[in-house]
Amino acid sequence: MGNYTNGFRHINVELLSSPDVPFKTFWNWFRQTWISLHDEEYDYTNPEHIKACQDVANRRALPTPMEATTFQFKVTGLSRVALAQITRGRVGWAYNVESQMPQHIRHAVTVPKNIYEHPAFGSRARSLITQLQELYDDMYDSGVPPQDCRYLTMHGQHTSMVFNVNYAALLGYFARRCENGLTDELNLVGRLIRHELITSHLNDDGTDKISGSGWSFLIGKLEAMGANNVCLNNDKVFGNTGRATSAGDWVPNLLDGTCDYDFSKSAWYYELQDLPDHLLFPGEREMINDFKSVGFTGRLQKLGGNNND
């Protein structure tokens, strides 16, 4: 029997390192511009210091302090599909990834939830995975090097990685990768990253564990573009996926036939409905409840289709 997983929920994210007081970094870089501020140490009780740090994060001041603020994470259970996507990030990112070349791999393949649970395709997918894993083992046992055996693995094969990312790059990641109509597996990774930061740096009431650290403000900005205010996704694959009203008729919508595929048949539509509250963004619980009660098109109709006002 092959080794495979139903969907993405096996993925794990671990925070390896992060600054305790990122606003101190922001301030130290911000003050360098101004001779009169060179001798002022960061003071979280000074509202001007807090405003300067928030201006940096809002790009109303020199944004380079965000690039000097970095984090390290470890991700396990990521598919090679998602690996190809996440490593598109260049500026502000550094990676090291588990190799398939020198040693026998650990057999494990992600099967998207909508395929795994499909009455016609699920068993066929699992059978194919089993055959390929048995073929890999037979080739390896015969002396074929693993660097060659790996060519016959599935694109859904699990891998692991560590990466370093700065805050500016992470904001960009969330804007695109956590937009429900653009990414699925990396959408979950973003939510797990956010949860790791919340657990490490915020109290149960959402305040900073270290007063003046700035974490509550910075984590609050880790959101998809448009958030729950308006849909800005102009990609034609799924278009508006039901979180918020479209910004205009340039946003593709299943109701008027301007997107290419039905989001309700996607893996991420399945995954969203099973996510716990701590991994949801504002407004998504209501959206998911609508998915379950009136369906995807019912949710779109509730939002009013495209907003041409």
Side-chain angles (χ1 to χ4, degrees):
M1 182 177 178
N3 190 2
Y4 34 73
T5 59
N6 179 5
F8 311 137
R9 292 298 302 280
H10 62 279
I11 295 172
N12 184 66
V13 172
E14 178 186 354
L15 176 63
L16 300 179
S17 67
S18 59
D20 290 331
V21 186
F23 267 17
K24 184 175 181 180
T25 300
F26 279 27
W27 174 256
N28 286 341
W29 280 65
F30 173 87
R31 67 175 175 167
Q32 192 60 35
T33 302
W34 313 97
I35 295 174
S36 59
L37 298 179
H38 283 185
D39 295 329
E40 281 196 33
E41 296 299 327
Y42 176 61
D43 177 5
Y44 71 87
T45 66
N46 187 329
E48 292 301 316
H49 289 200
I50 296 298
K51 181 180 182 302
C53 294
Q54 291 178 345
D55 282 349
V56 167
N58 290 326
R59 296 186 180 273
R60 298 193 186 107
L62 192 68
T64 48
M66 292 192 287
E67 299 170 16
T69 304
T70 63
F71 323 96
Q72 293 182 15
F73 295 94
K74 179 180 180 180
V75 183
T76 55
L78 197 68
S79 75
R80 288 266 163 174
V81 175
L83 177 66
Q85 294 176 318
I86 196 171
T87 50
R88 290 177 182 174
R90 290 292 181 263
V91 178
W93 295 84
Y95 314 91
N96 189 26
V97 180
E98 169 189 320
S99 177
Q100 293 182 331
M101 186 190 84
Q103 296 176 317
H104 190 293
I105 64 172
R106 296 185 181 94
H107 286 308
V109 173
T110 294
V111 181
K113 197 171 178 66
N114 57 330
I115 297 174
Y116 192 100
E117 298 176 1
H118 195 281
F121 305 140
S123 59
R124 291 171 62 186
R126 293 188 290 274
S127 176
L128 178 60
I129 293 168
T130 300
Q131 292 178 54
L132 286 175
Q133 290 176 349
E134 290 174 348
L135 174 61
Y136 180 103
D137 289 342
D138 290 344
M139 292 188 297
Y140 180 85
D141 291 343
S142 75
V144 177
Q147 69 182 51
D148 302 325
C149 296
R150 62 181 172 172
Y151 281 88
L152 277 301
T153 59
M154 300 286 285
H155 207 30
Q157 168 66 33
H158 292 187
T159 189
S160 61
M161 68 184 305
V162 292
F163 62 85
N164 187 86
V165 61
N166 68 46
Y167 182 70
L170 196 59
L171 282 175
Y173 177 101
F174 271 79
R176 303 290 293 179
R177 298 303 189 187
C178 290
E179 159 58 49
N180 290 328
L182 292 178
T183 323
D184 43 27
E185 197 172 345
L186 292 187
N187 193 320
L188 177 60
V189 169
R191 293 162 189 262
L192 292 170
I193 286 173
R194 182 173 176 270
H195 181 62
E196 280 288 286
L197 293 173
I198 289 172
T199 301
S200 295
H201 297 292
L202 300 186
N203 297 311
D204 291 342
D205 63 358
T207 58
D208 295 333
K209 286 184 177 180
I210 299 177
S211 296
S213 65
W215 272 114
S216 57
F217 182 82
L218 297 178
I219 291 173
K221 294 182 68 63
L222 297 177
E223 250 280 23
M225 59 182 184
N228 64 328
N229 299 315
V230 65
C231 178
L232 299 172
N233 180 27
N234 65 349
D235 188 272
K236 289 185 65 179
V237 174
F238 294 126
N240 189 319
T241 52
R243 187 177 176 193
T245 303
S246 297
D249 57 10
W250 48 269
V251 175
N253 195 299
L254 185 67
L255 295 180
D256 57 22
T258 52
C259 58
D260 294 337
Y261 298 95
D262 182 349
F263 179 63
S264 68
K265 296 181 179 181
S266 72
W268 189 236
Y269 182 81
Y270 279 60
E271 296 278 354
L272 270 173
Q273 296 184 64
D274 290 336
L275 286 185
D277 285 344
H278 71 268
L279 294 180
L280 296 180
F281 291 108
E284 286 188 327
R285 176 53 64 198
E286 177 189 347
M287 174 191 75
I288 291 168
N289 288 341
D290 280 347
F291 287 167
K292 293 179 178 180
S293 61
V294 298
F296 176 57
T297 55
R299 171 64 180 180
L300 291 179
Q301 290 167 349
K302 183 176 179 180
L303 293 175
N306 281 322
N307 180 9
N308 298 310
D309 295 338

